[in-house]
Amino acid sequence: MGIASDIAIIVVAALIGGLIAQRLRQPLILGYILAGIVVGPHTGGVTIGEIHNIELLAEIGVALLLFALGLEFSFRSLRPVRAIALLGTPLQMGLTIVFGYEVGQWLGYTPVQSLWIGSLISLSSTMVILKTLMIRGLMGTLSSRVMIGMLIVQDMAVVPLMIILPEFSHPEAGLPLVAWAALKALVFLALMVLVGARLIPGLLVHISRWNSRELFLLSVTAIGLGVGYVTYLFGLSFAFGAFVAGMVLSESDYSHQALSDIVPLRDIFGLIFFVSVGMLLDPAFLWLHFKEILLLVVAILIGKGLIFALVVRFFGYRNVIPLAVGLGLSQVGEFSFVLAGVGLSRGAFSSDFYAVILNTAIFTMLLTPLLSALTGPLYTLRKKWFHHEPLRTINLPDTGLRDHVVIAGCGQTGKYVAQVLSGRGLPVVIIELNNQRFAEAHKSGMPLVFGDASKPLVLEAAGINQAQLLIITIADMITVKETVEEALRLNPRLHIVARSGGLEQMRVLREIGVHDLVQPEFEAGLELTRQSLLALGIDNAEISRESDKVRKELYAPLYTEDK
């Protein structure tokens, strides 16, 4: 059957590998790579016959991955962490490239190979870290938003790296060749923005009028791959064109439908790409080069982790966030496979060098969940070894505190809660570590304690021993957990109300002693629904009953589990 039987083998093997990865709580791509190793030419047994044809199909997978990335890209998603995402990520990548270059030179690689090492390890894995954050219930925390913002910009950086890096493989041509490649990319990008941004959305408007889902999907696929082929004829990367086409489409009214239609196709061809990556890995080669790969893995995890932590700290993030980001993003990313594939196809390095990089990347991915899980214990050790943040108190009553409310965090949520409680004459003490927020709250005249709410000295200064209620508005899950545990140790009778980013977080916080939990996005959704139904003339009592029913469905399982 030729290539048809090969595709059947790949899909079945990927399914088995994906099931194993899911069972082990690992990203599916690691299961796909494992499947590629099993059906590849180096392990015997059931083997793919037409490897070259599969690699050609894998190129379509790369193009569709970048096409979907272009469709998903939005500057709005970077707004909460725009400074560190747009400025800190290029700084991190630049420092990591320099670090990787030095590591490559230390291991005896050529300057060009060392440059490729630095560039490949400068990227982190979006798929791996998202999976890890979801498993640990950390989605929605400040550290997770910082990570995702930096990952988005890293994924964007793949495109210029794909254009520029292969040209450095021909050092005799010098900078003119690199400049020419960059100029061609800019010209093509300008043409797409000026011409494509008008023609492509207009074409989709025309096609959508026929109400044919099949024709719409075909049109979206043709645009992504067709523009990719034009860039190939233009002397640029096929995948670069697909990415630009996705970015142009992302600004149209049909971007969400286009993305939802293309995702299944992207996933199937992406599967073929990651299986083809695994087919190139030789277990015997791994055994022979184990020491070299181990040195690379250790150097990357330590060096890259430190770079991330220092950059995050430089941009003003404190407490657990630099540690969480450093441990979370220290791996090598899946788009490094794409970039390495471009280098191999352009003759930038040998297949042995490619195999070393791929093995290194896979090991760093596998270690990510373990490293990320060390964030809490290491942060606890750090607090024991190093000095506490400076403790300042303002407007605390001279007669002492009793039966008051402690609010941990004075962001928008904490500020509103404090205003309402104070307006009713209830005594409130606010704990805040952010210096700017502390200064703003100072103007309100409320009692304040400057410091980390998870530390006993700070909690004691806020009178937690005599408080009747603790309200935690902090988003960072690790800080919340430590604050709850420390507060209950100091005052076991304390009633605690906390915000939560998702159902998994809610379960964790409930287990450690939080009495009441609030999910802000869910409550905002309920209020938007209530306002909409009121505008449509629905009776307020009926809306309240429906809201209570929906709220009960979300929160009730957490409380019934205690019985």
Side-chain angles (χ1 to χ4, degrees), residues 196-435:
R198 298 183 180 183
L199 292 180
I200 292 176
L203 175 64
L204 285 183
V205 170
H206 183 71
I207 291 172
S208 65
R209 290 174 182 161
W210 293 337
N211 293 319
S212 171
R213 185 76 176 266
E214 183 178 350
L215 193 59
F216 185 83
L217 170 61
L218 183 60
S219 302
V220 170
T221 308
I223 289 169
L225 298 182
V227 173
Y229 183 65
V230 170
T231 57
Y232 173 75
L233 297 177
F234 206 73
L236 295 168
S237 164
F238 181 77
F240 170 65
F243 173 78
V244 174
M247 281 196 67
V248 170
L249 266 179
S250 71
E251 298 302 320
S252 75
D253 296 332
Y254 298 93
S255 60
H256 297 296
Q257 184 60 45
L259 180 61
S260 64
D261 283 351
I262 204 69
V263 161
L265 196 62
R266 176 203 69 182
D267 290 344
I268 292 296
F269 278 94
L271 173 155
I272 294 174
F273 167 71
F274 288 114
V275 171
S276 71
V277 168
M279 288 162 52
L280 297 172
L281 299 182
D282 183 359
F285 178 88
L286 173 60
W287 178 254
L288 290 174
H289 295 79
F290 182 76
K291 182 179 179 181
E292 178 183 358
I293 292 169
L294 180 62
L295 287 173
L296 266 175
V297 169
V298 172
I300 290 168
L301 293 178
I302 295 175
K304 189 176 176 183
L306 285 173
I307 289 171
F308 265 110
L310 291 172
V311 169
V312 171
R313 185 67 176 79
F314 177 76
F315 276 81
Y317 293 91
R318 301 290 190 271
N319 294 336
V320 75
I321 297 173
L323 182 62
V325 175
L327 291 173
L329 297 184
S330 58
Q331 78 289 130
V332 180
E334 60 273 354
F335 275 113
S336 297
F337 298 147
V338 176
L339 193 57
V342 172
L344 183 65
S345 64
R346 298 285 290 271
F349 43 73
S350 66
S351 57
D352 284 353
F353 178 84
Y354 181 73
V356 168
I357 294 299
L358 292 190
N359 278 286
T360 301
I362 292 169
F363 275 111
T364 61
M365 287 180 170
L366 288 170
L367 290 170
T368 297
L370 298 174
L371 291 173
S372 183
L374 292 175
T375 302
L378 289 178
Y379 183 59
T380 302
L381 283 176
R382 180 204 144 197
K383 290 194 299 182
K384 290 180 179 178
W385 291 345
F386 295 96
H387 295 295
H388 297 288
E389 281 86 355
L391 185 61
R392 292 156 52 195
T393 61
I394 294 175
N395 299 327
L396 292 184
D398 298 329
T399 56
L401 295 163
R402 190 172 187 84
D403 295 332
H404 58 291
V405 179
V406 176
I407 301 175
C410 194
Q412 287 187 346
T413 304
K415 183 167 59 177
Y416 295 148
V417 172
Q419 287 173 352
V420 171
L421 295 180
S422 297
R424 295 185 63 87
L426 295 170
V428 171
V429 175
I430 301 171
I431 300 175
E432 179 55 59
L433 182 59
N434 183 286
N435 197 61

Side-chain angles (χ1 to χ4, degrees), residues 125-200:
S125 174
T126 304
M127 295 182 184
V128 169
I129 197 59
L130 286 179
K131 182 73 172 179
T132 303
L133 290 171
M134 284 187 286
I135 289 172
R136 299 187 60 218
L138 296 176
M139 291 298 290
T141 62
L142 180 56
S143 55
S144 72
R145 291 200 295 271
V146 170
M147 285 189 247
I148 292 169
M150 298 185 80
L151 285 167
I152 290 173
V153 177
Q154 278 189 0
D155 290 347
M156 290 282 294
V158 172
V159 177
L161 287 175
M162 289 174 66
I163 296 170
I164 295 171
L165 270 178
E167 308 304 337
F168 279 106
S169 305
H170 309 284
E172 67 281 357
L175 289 177
L177 196 59
V178 176
W180 176 237
L183 179 62
K184 286 194 293 183
L186 289 173
V187 170
F188 178 79
L189 193 58
L191 289 173
M192 282 296 295
V193 171
L194 294 174
V195 181
R198 298 183 180 183
L199 292 180
I200 292 176

Side-chain angles (χ1 to χ4, degrees), residues 10 41 44 112 114 149 161 172 210 249 278 361-362 445 470 495 554 563:
I10 285 174
V112 171
S114 299
L161 287 175
E172 67 281 357
W210 293 337
L249 266 179
I362 292 169
L470 170 64
H495 191 95
L554 176 71
K563 297 179 180 178

